[in-house]
Coordinates of all heavy atoms in Angstrom, one line a residue:
M1338 N 0.9 -1.2 0.0 CA 0.0 0.0 0.0 C 0.9 1.2 0.0 O 1.9 1.3 0.7 CB -0.9 0.0 1.2 CG -1.9 1.1 1.3 SD -3.2 0.9 2.5 CE -2.2 1.2 4.0
T1339 N 0.6 2.2 -0.8 CA 1.3 3.4 -0.9 C 0.5 4.6 -0.4 O -0.7 4.7 -0.8 CB 1.7 3.7 -2.4 OG1 2.5 2.6 -2.9 CG2 2.5 5.0 -2.5
L1340 N 1.0 5.3 0.6 CA 0.3 6.5 1.1 C 1.2 7.7 0.8 O 2.3 7.8 1.2 CB 0.2 6.3 2.6 CG -0.8 5.3 3.1 CD1 -0.8 5.2 4.6 CD2 -2.2 5.5 2.5
L1341 N 0.6 8.6 0.1 CA 1.2 9.9 -0.2 C 0.5 11.0 0.5 O -0.7 11.0 0.6 CB 1.2 10.2 -1.7 CG 2.0 9.1 -2.6 CD1 1.7 9.4 -4.1 CD2 3.4 9.2 -2.3
A1342 N 1.3 11.9 1.0 CA 0.6 13.0 1.7 C -0.4 13.7 0.8 O -0.1 14.0 -0.4 CB 1.7 14.0 2.1
G1343 N -1.6 13.9 1.3 CA -2.6 14.6 0.5 C -3.4 13.6 -0.4 O -4.4 14.0 -1.0
C1344 N -2.9 12.4 -0.5 CA -3.6 11.4 -1.3 C -4.0 10.2 -0.6 O -4.5 9.2 -1.1 CB -2.7 10.9 -2.5 SG -2.1 12.2 -3.5
S1345 N -3.9 10.2 0.8 CA -4.2 9.0 1.6 C -5.6 8.8 1.8 O -6.0 7.7 2.2 CB -3.5 9.2 2.9 OG -4.1 10.2 3.7
G1346 N -6.5 9.8 1.5 CA -7.9 9.6 1.8 C -8.3 10.0 3.2 O -9.4 10.1 3.5
E1347 N -7.3 10.1 4.1 CA -7.6 10.5 5.4 C -7.9 12.0 5.5 O -7.1 12.8 4.9 CB -6.5 10.2 6.4 CG -6.8 10.4 7.8 CD -5.7 10.0 8.8 OE1 -4.6 9.7 8.3 OE2 -6.0 10.0 10.0
E1348 N -8.9 12.4 6.1 CA -9.3 13.8 6.1 C -8.3 14.6 6.9 O -7.8 14.2 8.0 CB -10.7 14.0 6.7 CG -11.8 13.7 5.8 CD -13.1 14.1 6.3 OE1 -13.2 15.2 6.9 OE2 -14.1 13.3 6.1
E1349 N -8.0 15.8 6.4 CA -7.1 16.7 7.2 C -7.8 17.2 8.4 O -9.0 17.6 8.3 CB -6.7 17.9 6.3 CG -5.8 17.5 5.1 CD -4.4 17.1 5.6 OE1 -3.9 17.9 6.5 OE2 -3.9 16.1 5.1
P1350 N -7.2 17.3 9.5 CA -7.8 17.9 10.7 C -8.1 19.4 10.5 O -7.4 20.0 9.6 CB -6.8 17.7 11.8 CG -5.5 17.5 11.1 CD -5.8 16.9 9.8
D1351 N -9.0 20.0 11.2 CA -9.3 21.4 11.1 C -8.3 22.2 11.9 O -8.2 23.4 11.6 CB -10.7 21.7 11.5 CG -11.7 21.0 10.6 OD1 -12.1 21.6 9.6 OD2 -12.1 19.8 10.9
A1352 N -7.7 21.6 12.8 CA -6.6 22.3 13.6 C -5.7 21.2 14.1 O -6.1 20.1 14.4 CB -7.3 23.0 14.8
V1353 N -4.4 21.6 14.2 CA -3.4 20.7 14.7 C -2.7 21.4 15.9 O -2.3 22.6 15.8 CB -2.3 20.4 13.6 CG1 -1.1 19.6 14.2 CG2 -3.0 19.7 12.5
I1354 N -2.5 20.7 17.0 CA -1.8 21.2 18.2 C -0.6 20.3 18.4 O -0.8 19.1 18.6 CB -2.8 21.2 19.4 CG1 -4.0 22.1 19.1 CG2 -2.0 21.6 20.6 CD1 -5.1 22.0 20.2
E1355 N 0.6 20.9 18.3 CA 1.8 20.2 18.5 C 2.1 20.2 20.0 O 2.0 21.2 20.7 CB 3.0 20.8 17.8 CG 2.9 20.8 16.3 CD 3.5 19.5 15.7 OE1 4.1 18.7 16.5 OE2 3.3 19.3 14.5
I1356 N 2.4 19.0 20.6 CA 2.8 19.0 22.0 C 4.3 18.8 22.0 O 4.9 17.8 21.6 CB 2.1 17.8 22.7 CG1 0.6 17.9 22.6 CG2 2.5 17.8 24.2 CD1 -0.2 16.7 23.1
A1357 N 5.0 19.9 22.4 CA 6.5 19.9 22.4 C 6.9 20.9 23.5 O 6.2 21.9 23.8 CB 7.0 20.3 21.1
D1358 N 8.1 20.7 24.0 CA 8.6 21.6 25.1 C 7.6 21.8 26.2 O 7.6 22.9 26.8 CB 9.0 22.9 24.4 CG 10.1 22.7 23.4 OD1 11.0 21.9 23.5 OD2 10.1 23.5 22.4
V1359 N 6.9 20.7 26.5 CA 5.9 20.7 27.6 C 4.9 21.9 27.5 O 4.6 22.6 28.4 CB 6.7 20.8 29.0 CG1 5.7 20.4 30.1 CG2 7.9 19.9 29.0
Q1360 N 4.5 22.0 26.2 CA 3.5 23.1 25.9 C 2.6 22.5 24.8 O 3.0 21.7 24.0 CB 4.2 24.3 25.4 CG 5.0 25.1 26.4 CD 5.6 26.3 25.8 OE1 5.7 26.5 24.6 NE2 6.1 27.2 26.6
F1361 N 1.4 23.0 24.8 CA 0.5 22.8 23.7 C 0.7 24.0 22.7 O 0.7 25.2 23.1 CB -1.0 22.8 24.1 CG -1.4 21.7 25.0 CD1 -1.8 21.9 26.3 CD2 -1.4 20.4 24.5 CE1 -2.2 20.9 27.1 CE2 -1.7 19.3 25.3 CZ -2.1 19.6 26.6
G1362 N 1.0 23.7 21.4 CA 1.3 24.8 20.5 C 0.4 24.6 19.2 O 0.7 23.7 18.4
P1363 N -0.5 25.6 19.0 CA -0.9 26.6 20.0 C -1.9 26.0 21.0 O -2.5 25.0 20.7 CB -1.6 27.6 19.1 CG -2.2 26.8 18.0 CD -1.2 25.7 17.8
P1364 N -2.0 26.6 22.2 CA -2.9 26.0 23.2 C -4.4 26.2 22.8 O -5.2 25.4 23.2 CB -2.6 26.7 24.5 CG -1.9 28.0 24.1 CD -1.2 27.7 22.8
D1365 N -4.7 27.3 22.1 CA -6.1 27.7 21.9 C -6.3 27.6 20.4 O -5.6 28.3 19.6 CB -6.4 29.1 22.4 CG -6.0 29.2 23.9 OD1 -6.3 28.2 24.6 OD2 -5.5 30.2 24.3
V1366 N -7.3 26.9 20.0 CA -7.7 26.8 18.5 C -9.2 27.0 18.4 O -10.0 26.8 19.4 CB -7.3 25.5 17.9 CG1 -5.7 25.3 18.0 CG2 -7.9 24.3 18.6
T1367 N -9.6 27.3 17.2 CA -11.0 27.5 16.9 C -11.3 26.6 15.6 O -10.6 26.7 14.7 CB -11.4 29.0 16.6 OG1 -11.1 29.8 17.7 CG2 -12.8 29.1 16.2
V1368 N -12.4 25.9 15.7 CA -12.8 25.0 14.6 C -14.3 25.2 14.4 O -15.0 25.6 15.3 CB -12.5 23.5 14.9 CG1 -11.0 23.3 15.0 CG2 -13.2 23.0 16.1
P1369 N -14.8 24.8 13.2 CA -16.3 24.9 13.0 C -16.9 23.7 13.7 O -16.3 22.7 14.0 CB -16.4 24.8 11.5 CG -15.1 24.1 11.0 CD -14.1 24.5 12.0
V1370 N -18.2 23.8 13.8 CA -19.0 22.6 14.3 C -18.8 21.4 13.4 O -18.8 21.6 12.2 CB -20.5 22.9 14.4 CG1 -21.3 21.7 14.8 CG2 -20.7 24.0 15.5
G1371 N -18.5 20.3 14.0 CA -18.1 19.1 13.2 C -16.6 19.0 12.9 O -16.2 18.1 12.2
G1372 N -15.9 20.0 13.4 CA -14.4 20.0 13.1 C -13.6 19.1 13.9 O -14.1 18.7 15.0
T1373 N -12.5 18.7 13.4 CA -11.6 17.7 14.1 C -10.3 18.4 14.5 O -9.7 19.2 13.7 CB -11.3 16.5 13.2 OG1 -12.5 15.9 12.9 CG2 -10.3 15.6 13.8
V1374 N -9.9 18.2 15.7 CA -8.6 18.7 16.2 C -7.7 17.5 16.4 O -8.1 16.4 16.9 CB -8.8 19.4 17.6 CG1 -7.4 19.9 18.1 CG2 -9.7 20.6 17.4
E1375 N -6.5 17.7 15.9 CA -5.4 16.6 16.1 C -4.3 17.2 17.0 O -3.8 18.2 16.7 CB -4.9 16.2 14.7 CG -3.8 15.1 14.9 CD -3.3 14.7 13.5 OE1 -4.1 13.9 12.9 OE2 -2.2 15.0 13.1
W1376 N -4.1 16.4 18.0 CA -2.9 16.7 18.9 C -1.8 15.7 18.5 O -2.0 14.5 18.3 CB -3.3 16.5 20.4 CG -4.1 17.5 21.0 CD1 -3.7 18.6 21.7 CD2 -5.6 17.6 21.0 NE1 -4.8 19.3 22.2 CE2 -6.0 18.7 21.7 CE3 -6.6 16.7 20.4 CZ2 -7.3 19.0 21.9 CZ3 -7.9 17.1 20.6 CH2 -8.3 18.2 21.4
R1377 N -0.6 16.3 18.4 CA 0.6 15.5 18.0 C 1.6 15.4 19.1 O 2.1 16.5 19.5 CB 1.2 16.1 16.7 CG 0.3 16.0 15.5 CD 1.0 16.6 14.3 NE 0.0 16.5 13.2 CZ 0.1 17.2 12.0 NH1 1.2 18.0 11.8 NH2 -0.7 17.0 11.0
F1378 N 1.8 14.2 19.6 CA 2.7 14.1 20.7 C 4.1 14.0 20.2 O 4.5 13.0 19.5 CB 2.4 12.8 21.5 CG 1.1 12.8 22.2 CD1 -0.1 12.6 21.5 CD2 1.0 13.2 23.6 CE1 -1.3 12.7 22.2 CE2 -0.2 13.2 24.2 CZ -1.4 13.0 23.6
D1379 N 4.9 15.1 20.3 CA 6.2 15.2 19.7 C 7.1 15.9 20.6 O 7.7 16.9 20.3 CB 6.0 16.0 18.4 CG 7.2 16.0 17.5 OD1 8.1 15.1 17.7 OD2 7.4 16.9 16.7
D1380 N 7.3 15.3 21.8 CA 8.1 15.9 22.8 C 9.2 15.0 23.3 O 9.5 14.9 24.5 CB 7.3 16.4 24.0 CG 7.9 17.5 24.8 OD1 9.0 17.9 24.5 OD2 7.3 17.9 25.8
G1381 N 9.8 14.3 22.3 CA 10.9 13.4 22.6 C 10.6 12.2 23.6 O 11.5 11.8 24.3
G1382 N 9.4 11.8 23.6 CA 8.9 10.7 24.4 C 8.4 11.1 25.8 O 8.0 10.3 26.5
V1383 N 8.5 12.4 26.1 CA 8.0 12.9 27.4 C 6.5 12.6 27.4 O 5.8 12.9 26.4 CB 8.2 14.4 27.6 CG1 7.5 14.9 28.8 CG2 9.7 14.7 27.6
L1384 N 6.0 12.0 28.5 CA 4.6 11.6 28.6 C 3.7 12.9 28.8 O 4.0 13.7 29.6 CB 4.4 10.6 29.7 CG 5.1 9.3 29.5 CD1 4.8 8.4 30.8 CD2 4.6 8.6 28.3
H1385 N 2.6 12.9 28.0 CA 1.6 14.0 28.2 C 0.3 13.3 28.1 O 0.1 12.1 27.8 CB 1.8 15.0 27.1 CG 3.1 15.8 27.2 ND1 3.3 16.7 28.2 CD2 4.2 15.9 26.4 CE1 4.5 17.2 28.1 NE2 5.0 16.8 27.0
H1386 N -0.7 14.2 28.2 CA -2.1 13.7 28.3 C -3.0 14.8 27.7 O -2.8 16.0 28.0 CB -2.5 13.4 29.7 CG -3.7 12.7 30.0 ND1 -4.2 12.4 31.2 CD2 -4.6 12.2 29.1 CE1 -5.4 11.8 31.1 NE2 -5.6 11.6 29.8
V1387 N -4.0 14.5 26.9 CA -5.0 15.5 26.5 C -6.3 15.0 27.1 O -6.8 13.9 26.7 CB -5.1 15.5 24.9 CG1 -6.3 16.4 24.5 CG2 -3.8 16.0 24.3
E1388 N -6.7 15.7 28.1 CA -7.9 15.3 28.8 C -8.9 16.5 28.9 O -8.5 17.6 29.4 CB -7.5 14.9 30.2 CG -8.6 14.5 31.2 CD -8.1 14.1 32.5 OE1 -7.2 14.8 33.1 OE2 -8.6 13.2 33.1
S1389 N -10.1 16.3 28.5 CA -11.1 17.4 28.6 C -11.3 17.7 30.1 O -11.2 16.9 31.0 CB -12.4 17.0 28.0 OG -12.9 15.8 28.5
D1390 N -11.7 19.0 30.3 CA -12.1 19.5 31.6 C -13.2 18.5 32.1 O -14.2 18.3 31.5 CB -12.7 20.9 31.4 CG -13.1 21.5 32.7 OD1 -13.5 20.8 33.6 OD2 -13.1 22.8 32.7
P1391 N -13.0 18.0 33.3 CA -14.0 17.0 33.9 C -15.4 17.6 34.1 O -16.3 16.8 34.4 CB -13.3 16.5 35.1 CG -12.3 17.5 35.5 CD -11.9 18.2 34.2
T1392 N -15.5 18.9 34.1 CA -16.8 19.5 34.3 C -17.7 19.6 33.1 O -18.9 19.9 33.2 CB -16.7 20.9 34.9 OG1 -16.1 21.8 33.9 CG2 -15.9 20.9 36.2
I1393 N -17.2 19.2 31.9 CA -18.0 19.3 30.7 C -18.9 18.1 30.7 O -18.6 17.1 31.3 CB -17.2 19.4 29.4 CG1 -16.4 18.2 29.1 CG2 -16.3 20.6 29.4 CD1 -15.8 18.2 27.7
V1394 N -20.0 18.2 29.9 CA -21.0 17.1 29.9 C -20.3 15.9 29.2 O -19.5 15.9 28.4 CB -22.2 17.5 29.1 CG1 -23.0 18.6 29.9 CG2 -21.9 17.9 27.7
V1395 N -20.8 14.7 29.6 CA -20.2 13.4 29.3 C -20.0 13.2 27.8 O -19.0 12.8 27.4 CB -21.0 12.3 29.9 CG1 -20.5 10.9 29.4 CG2 -20.9 12.3 31.5
E1396 N -21.1 13.6 27.0 CA -21.0 13.3 25.6 C -19.9 14.1 24.9 O -19.6 13.8 23.7 CB -22.3 13.4 24.9 CG -23.0 14.7 25.0 CD -24.1 14.8 26.1 OE1 -23.9 14.2 27.1 OE2 -25.1 15.4 25.8
D1397 N -19.4 15.1 25.5 CA -18.4 16.0 24.9 C -17.0 15.7 25.5 O -16.0 16.3 25.2 CB -18.7 17.4 25.1 CG -19.9 17.9 24.3 OD1 -20.1 17.3 23.2 OD2 -20.6 18.8 24.7
E1398 N -16.9 14.6 26.3 CA -15.6 14.3 26.9 C -14.6 13.8 25.8 O -15.0 13.2 24.9 CB -15.7 13.2 28.0 CG -16.3 13.7 29.2 CD -16.4 12.6 30.3 OE1 -16.3 11.4 29.9 OE2 -16.7 12.9 31.4
F1399 N -13.3 14.0 26.1 CA -12.3 13.4 25.3 C -11.1 13.1 26.1 O -10.8 13.8 27.1 CB -11.9 14.2 24.0 CG -11.6 15.7 24.3 CD1 -10.3 16.1 24.4 CD2 -12.7 16.6 24.4 CE1 -10.0 17.5 24.6 CE2 -12.4 17.9 24.6 CZ -11.1 18.4 24.7
D1400 N -10.3 12.1 25.8 CA -9.2 11.6 26.6 C -8.3 10.8 25.8 O -8.6 9.8 25.3 CB -9.8 10.8 27.8 CG -8.7 10.4 28.8 OD1 -7.5 10.4 28.5 OD2 -9.1 10.1 29.9
S1401 N -7.1 11.3 25.6 CA -6.1 10.6 24.8 C -5.4 9.5 25.5 O -4.8 8.6 24.8 CB -5.0 11.6 24.4 OG -4.2 12.0 25.5
G1402 N -5.6 9.4 26.8 CA -4.7 8.5 27.6 C -3.3 9.2 27.7 O -3.0 10.1 26.9
I1403 N -2.5 8.7 28.7 CA -1.2 9.3 28.8 C -0.2 8.6 27.9 O -0.2 7.3 27.8 CB -0.7 9.1 30.3 CG1 -1.6 9.9 31.2 CG2 0.7 9.5 30.5 CD1 -1.3 9.7 32.7
T1404 N 0.4 9.3 27.0 CA 1.3 8.8 26.0 C 2.4 9.7 25.7 O 2.3 10.9 26.0 CB 0.5 8.3 24.8 OG1 1.4 7.7 23.9 CG2 -0.1 9.5 24.1
G1405 N 3.4 9.3 25.0 CA 4.5 10.1 24.6 C 4.7 10.1 23.1 O 5.6 10.8 22.6
V1406 N 3.9 9.3 22.4 CA 4.0 9.2 20.9 C 2.7 9.2 20.2 O 1.7 9.0 20.8 CB 4.8 7.9 20.5 CG1 6.2 7.9 21.1 CG2 4.0 6.7 21.0
G1407 N 2.7 9.5 18.9 CA 1.6 9.4 18.1 C 0.7 10.6 18.1 O 1.1 11.7 18.4
T1408 N -0.6 10.4 17.7 CA -1.5 11.5 17.6 C -2.8 11.1 18.2 O -3.1 9.9 18.4 CB -1.8 11.9 16.1 OG1 -2.4 10.8 15.4 CG2 -0.5 12.3 15.4
F1409 N -3.6 12.1 18.5 CA -4.9 11.9 19.1 C -5.9 12.9 18.4 O -5.5 14.1 18.2 CB -4.9 12.2 20.6 CG -6.3 12.2 21.2 CD1 -7.1 11.0 21.3 CD2 -6.8 13.4 21.7 CE1 -8.3 11.1 21.9 CE2 -8.1 13.4 22.3 CZ -8.8 12.3 22.4
R1410 N -7.0 12.4 18.0 CA -8.0 13.3 17.3 C -9.3 13.2 18.1 O -9.7 12.2 18.6 CB -8.3 12.8 15.9 CG -7.2 13.1 14.9 CD -7.6 12.7 13.6 NE -6.6 13.1 12.6 CZ -6.8 13.3 11.3 NH1 -8.0 12.9 10.8 NH2 -5.9 13.7 10.5
H1411 N -10.0 14.4 18.0 CA -11.4 14.4 18.6 C -12.2 15.3 17.6 O -11.7 16.4 17.2 CB -11.4 15.0 20.0 CG -12.8 15.0 20.6 ND1 -13.4 13.8 21.0 CD2 -13.7 15.9 20.8 CE1 -14.6 14.1 21.4 NE2 -14.8 15.4 21.3
T1412 N -13.4 14.9 17.3 CA -14.3 15.7 16.5 C -15.3 16.3 17.4 O -15.9 15.7 18.3 CB -15.0 14.8 15.5 OG1 -14.0 14.3 14.6 CG2 -16.0 15.6 14.6
F1413 N -15.5 17.6 17.2 CA -16.4 18.4 18.1 C -17.7 18.7 17.4 O -17.8 19.4 16.4 CB -15.7 19.7 18.5 CG -14.5 19.5 19.3 CD1 -13.3 19.2 18.8 CD2 -14.6 19.6 20.7 CE1 -12.1 19.0 19.6 CE2 -13.5 19.4 21.5 CZ -12.3 19.1 20.9
D1414 N -18.8 18.1 17.8 CA -20.1 18.2 17.1 C -21.0 19.2 17.7 O -22.1 19.4 17.2 CB -20.8 16.8 17.2 CG -20.0 15.8 16.3 OD1 -19.5 16.2 15.3 OD2 -20.0 14.6 16.8
R1415 N -20.6 19.9 18.8 CA -21.5 20.9 19.4 C -20.7 22.2 19.6 O -19.5 22.1 20.1 CB -22.1 20.4 20.7 CG -22.9 19.1 20.5 CD -23.9 18.9 21.6 NE -23.3 18.9 22.9 CZ -24.0 18.7 24.0 NH1 -25.3 18.5 23.9 NH2 -23.4 18.7 25.2
A1416 N -21.3 23.3 19.3 CA -20.7 24.6 19.6 C -20.4 24.8 21.1 O -21.2 24.3 21.9 CB -21.5 25.7 19.1
G1417 N -19.3 25.4 21.4 CA -19.0 25.7 22.8 C -17.5 25.9 22.9 O -16.8 25.9 21.9
T1418 N -17.1 26.1 24.2 CA -15.7 26.3 24.5 C -15.3 25.1 25.4 O -15.9 24.9 26.4 CB -15.4 27.6 25.2 OG1 -15.8 28.7 24.3 CG2 -14.0 27.8 25.5
Y1419 N -14.3 24.4 24.9 CA -13.9 23.2 25.6 C -12.5 23.4 26.1 O -11.5 23.6 25.4 CB -13.9 22.0 24.6 CG -15.3 21.7 24.0 CD1 -15.7 22.5 22.9 CD2 -16.1 20.8 24.6 CE1 -17.0 22.3 22.4 CE2 -17.4 20.6 24.0 CZ -17.8 21.3 22.9 OH -19.0 21.1 22.4
T1420 N -12.4 23.4 27.4 CA -11.0 23.5 28.0 C -10.5 22.1 28.2 O -11.2 21.1 28.4 CB -11.0 24.2 29.3 OG1 -11.9 23.5 30.2 CG2 -11.5 25.6 29.1
Y1421 N -9.1 22.0 28.1 CA -8.5 20.7 28.3 C -7.2 20.9 29.0 O -6.7 22.0 29.1 CB -8.3 20.0 26.9 CG -7.3 20.7 26.0 CD1 -6.0 20.4 26.0 CD2 -7.8 21.6 25.1 CE1 -5.1 21.0 25.1 CE2 -6.9 22.3 24.3 CZ -5.6 22.0 24.3 OH -4.7 22.7 23.4
T1422 N -6.6 19.8 29.5 CA -5.4 19.9 30.3 C -4.6 18.6 30.1 O -5.1 17.6 29.5 CB -5.7 20.2 31.8 OG1 -4.5 20.4 32.5 CG2 -6.5 19.0 32.4
C1423 N -3.4 18.6 30.6 CA -2.5 17.5 30.7 C -2.5 17.0 32.2 O -2.0 17.8 33.0 CB -1.2 17.8 30.1 SG 0.1 16.5 30.4
S1424 N -2.9 15.8 32.5 CA -2.9 15.4 33.9 C -1.5 15.2 34.4 O -1.3 15.2 35.6 CB -3.7 14.1 34.0 OG -3.0 13.0 33.4
V1425 N -0.5 15.1 33.5 CA 0.9 15.0 34.0 C 1.5 16.3 34.4 O 2.2 16.4 35.3 CB 1.7 14.3 32.9 CG1 3.2 14.1 33.4 CG2 1.1 13.0 32.4
H1426 N 1.1 17.3 33.6 CA 1.5 18.7 33.9 C 0.3 19.6 33.9 O -0.2 20.0 32.9 CB 2.4 19.2 32.8 CG 3.5 18.2 32.4 ND1 3.4 17.3 31.3 CD2 4.7 17.9 32.9 CE1 4.5 16.6 31.2 NE2 5.3 16.9 32.2
R1427 N -0.2 19.8 35.1 CA -1.5 20.5 35.2 C -1.5 21.9 34.7 O -2.5 22.5 34.5 CB -2.1 20.4 36.6 CG -2.7 19.1 37.0 CD -3.9 18.8 36.2 NE -4.6 17.6 36.6 CZ -5.6 17.0 35.9 NH1 -6.0 17.5 34.8 NH2 -6.1 15.8 36.3
Y1428 N -0.3 22.5 34.6 CA -0.2 23.9 34.1 C -0.3 23.9 32.6 O -0.4 25.0 32.0 CB 1.1 24.5 34.6 CG 2.4 23.7 34.2 CD1 3.0 23.8 33.0 CD2 2.9 22.7 35.1 CE1 4.1 23.1 32.7 CE2 4.0 22.0 34.8 CZ 4.6 22.1 33.6 OH 5.7 21.4 33.2
M1429 N -0.3 22.8 32.0 CA -0.5 22.7 30.5 C -2.1 22.7 30.3 O -2.7 21.8 30.7 CB 0.0 21.5 29.9 CG 1.5 21.4 29.9 SD 2.1 19.8 29.2 CE 1.6 19.9 27.5
T1430 N -2.6 23.8 29.8 CA -4.0 23.9 29.5 C -4.2 24.6 28.2 O -3.3 25.3 27.6 CB -4.7 24.8 30.6 OG1 -4.2 26.1 30.5 CG2 -4.5 24.2 32.0
G1431 N -5.4 24.4 27.6 CA -5.7 25.0 26.4 C -7.2 25.0 26.2 O -8.0 24.4 27.0
T1432 N -7.7 25.6 25.1 CA -9.1 25.6 24.8 C -9.3 25.3 23.3 O -8.6 25.8 22.5 CB -9.8 27.0 25.2 OG1 -9.2 28.0 24.4 CG2 -9.7 27.3 26.6
V1433 N -10.4 24.7 23.1 CA -10.9 24.5 21.7 C -12.3 25.2 21.7 O -13.2 24.9 22.4 CB -11.1 23.0 21.4 CG1 -11.7 22.9 20.0 CG2 -9.8 22.3 21.5
T1434 N -12.3 26.2 20.8 CA -13.6 26.9 20.6 C -14.3 26.4 19.4 O -13.6 26.3 18.3 CB -13.3 28.4 20.5 OG1 -12.7 28.9 21.6 CG2 -14.7 29.2 20.3
V1435 N -15.5 26.0 19.5 CA -16.3 25.4 18.4 C -17.4 26.3 18.1 O -18.2 26.7 19.0 CB -16.8 24.0 18.8 CG1 -17.5 23.4 17.6 CG2 -15.6 23.1 19.2
E1436 N -17.5 26.8 16.8 CA -18.5 27.8 16.5 C -19.0 27.6 15.1 O -18.5 26.8 14.3 CB -17.9 29.2 16.6 CG -16.7 29.4 15.8 CD -16.0 30.8 16.0 OE1 -16.2 31.4 17.0 OE2 -15.3 31.2 15.1
Ligands
CU11 CU1 2.1 17.2 29.8

């Protein structure tokens, strides 16, 4: 199987957040309703976590699990502002605005 960038058939995310240097970059993104955000764990194997604010309603929760590699995607089907954090580094926070 041959996969070429742009030809793989996998949809491009609406926003990409790089996790590096113990930061979300950028921490705050805006996507349309139905948009997908991709977090990329690219911090030399340092463990991080993308975890939705536990106060949001259950159907909007997202949780990457704690990991140091790969990517995590979540699709946001309802408008709102979603805060998230890294449980390993609680000072790492960001928001996804869906509008
Ligand atoms: Cu972290």
Side-chain angles (χ1 to χ4, degrees):
M1338 185 168 69
T1339 301
L1340 290 178
L1341 297 173
C1344 302
S1345 66
E1347 185 177 12
E1348 285 190 37
E1349 291 291 314
D1351 296 275
V1353 173
I1354 299 171
E1355 295 274 352
I1356 304 174
D1358 299 325
V1359 199
Q1360 291 179 348
F1361 294 115
D1365 305 321
V1366 297
T1367 300
V1368 298
V1370 172
T1373 298
V1374 178
E1375 180 175 286
W1376 285 265
R1377 295 179 180 165
F1378 293 83
D1379 190 17
D1380 203 2
V1383 174
L1384 295 177
H1385 292 293
H1386 192 184
V1387 174
E1388 179 183 39
S1389 56
D1390 181 332
T1392 63
I1393 69 172
V1394 295
V1395 170
E1396 59 259 39
D1397 290 330
E1398 286 181 346
F1399 50 98
D1400 188 336
S1401 68
I1403 295 173
T1404 184
V1406 296
T1408 62
F1409 171 69
R1410 285 184 171 200
H1411 184 74
T1412 298
F1413 295 83
D1414 291 324
R1415 299 202 305 181
T1418 300
Y1419 300 84
T1420 59
Y1421 64 92
T1422 186
C1423 169
S1424 68
V1425 184
H1426 313 96
R1427 282 295 183 192
Y1428 53 88
M1429 292 176 66
T1430 61
T1432 61
V1433 176
T1434 301
V1435 182
E1436 59 184 21

